[in-house]
Amino acid sequence: MDTSDGRAHSPFRRLRNSMSRHSNTVRLATLCSILNKLWDLAPPLLIGVAVDVVVEREESLMAGIGIIDPWHQLVILSIATFVIWGLESIFEYLYGILWRNLAQTVQHEFRLMTFEHVQKQGMAWFDERQKGDLMAIMNDDINQLERFLDKGVNDLLQVSTTVLVVGAVFIAISWEVALFAVLPIPIIVWGSFRYQRSLEPRYAEVRSAAGRMNALLENDLSGMSTIQSFTAEVREANRVESLSDEYRDANRRAIRLSAAFVPLIRMAILVGFTATLLLGGWMALDGAMAVGAYSVLVFMTQRLLWPLTRLGETFDLYQRAMASTTRVLDLLETPISIEDGEHILTSSSAHSSDIEINNLRFSYPNRDILFEDLNLTIEANRVLGVVGPTGSGKTTLVRLLLRFASPQKGSINWAKRSIDEWTLDSLRKNISLVSQHVTLFPTTIEENIRYGNLDASDEEVRQAAIIAEATEFIEELPDGWSTLVGEGGHRLSGGQRQRVAIARAVLKDSPLLVLDEATSAVDNETEAALQRSIRQISKDRSTLIIAHRLSTVRYADCIVVMDAGKIVESGTHDELVALNGLYSRLWSVQTGESSGIGQ
């Protein structure tokens, strides 16, 4: 989509364009809605004809078409009534099926499109946005569209049909009465659009407030342990109350305007109904209008009254949907921050090739430069350790390798090409990542391990768990491999989650294994077990170990020490200790040999 052109159009036009693949369904549903309303408006005409039969008898309108006997005329009218009600019911069923299924289909498609679009964004894009707001768009706003397509579109079509048909009938019977009865309708329609434009910014404010509310609730639910440990329940409740007040006030401002709509419409309709009652009655008493025709006008005015009184509710639903449409389509039209490459990186090429980082420059938005002319080689089938103080750029290096972010200058080459040239799918398939913050999905342990390779057999899953030294704790659980780990894996300990994550990486069996602080949050015994697993899975593959604990990288083939985005030392563990530099000082602190260690 062209973002600049798309956002210049009205929300309704943008929604219509995005639903173009369903245009045939929309046309058919529209036809059924209109036909249903046409048959729905026929009974008042039948009532007028019936009154004419009773009053005029052999001189009625029906007598003029050859049906002289009044009783026969009433029988014909009864048969016509059955047919009309049957057709009305059939088309009501059809438009209900078509609009509701269309609403569900569009809801499903938009949710998938927004989620797939979000998945393509780089990590820096997520850093600038609140997850709760994104969830509000993909859930609440898309649900608003579903409600409008389910009910609102049909209501608009039927109101429009009612106005046109009733206006035509009025003009056919008496243009004089029609002139006064239909006169308020243009004013009502004009006022409706004026109301719509006034409501638009108010409902945009409502949706924005809903997004902020969702973001806070999502953050608080995720951090409940922190809230409770700091006894900050009252503080957070006050924050929720404050944002909820904003949301309520935004709705109140919109409601205050939308609630006034129906009473104003009723007063405008009153003018038309009074004109029909008085002017039509006077003409009927004077003999200028048949009693049956007068009955049709009165009933038709009633048929016009109720749909128009619901116009305020319909426009309210419409405006909410358009505010949501803007948010959903703005998200879909957000440019992808990471461009995909064209070439496919094969596993064999990745296995045998070094990764070369050349003259790299990188900084996060609105922050100081982190890397300036960084040069580093990750040799094929060897273990490289990267250590350094917090903020030295260790994790950023991983983000750049996986193309979660892109450098401003320089290149990262793998298999004789810049990684920008490889497709994201093939690049990331050749990298197995185990990070400090393990993400487990709310399913079984077995399925979480199989996430690394969905086609893996049960035996392959178990072999991966053996290498990760995870089988012992798994088989001790009451449900074993079928144990549900809970949301985020909260039913497992930190060490258990890390072992499941390592098993998942083993099963993926990629040429490059990246361990980003994979042992930083576990105890010494668990760390020792994880280190044994790491040494085993590092064989015959390139391995990048980023660690705060130097014991994790002690046996690496090469260790580089980073500080403030620069490589200040490199060598084996023994060589770096002998240098008496930064690494040596960190080693002394961590082993308790430094005099600066607190007792």
Side-chain angles (χ1 to χ4, degrees), residues 473-494:
F473 89 81
I474 292 173
E475 292 172 354
E476 287 177 354
L477 294 170
D479 295 323
W481 295 88
S482 299
T483 299
L484 295 173
V485 303
E487 185 177 359
H490 73 272
R491 295 180 183 175
L492 302 180
S493 69

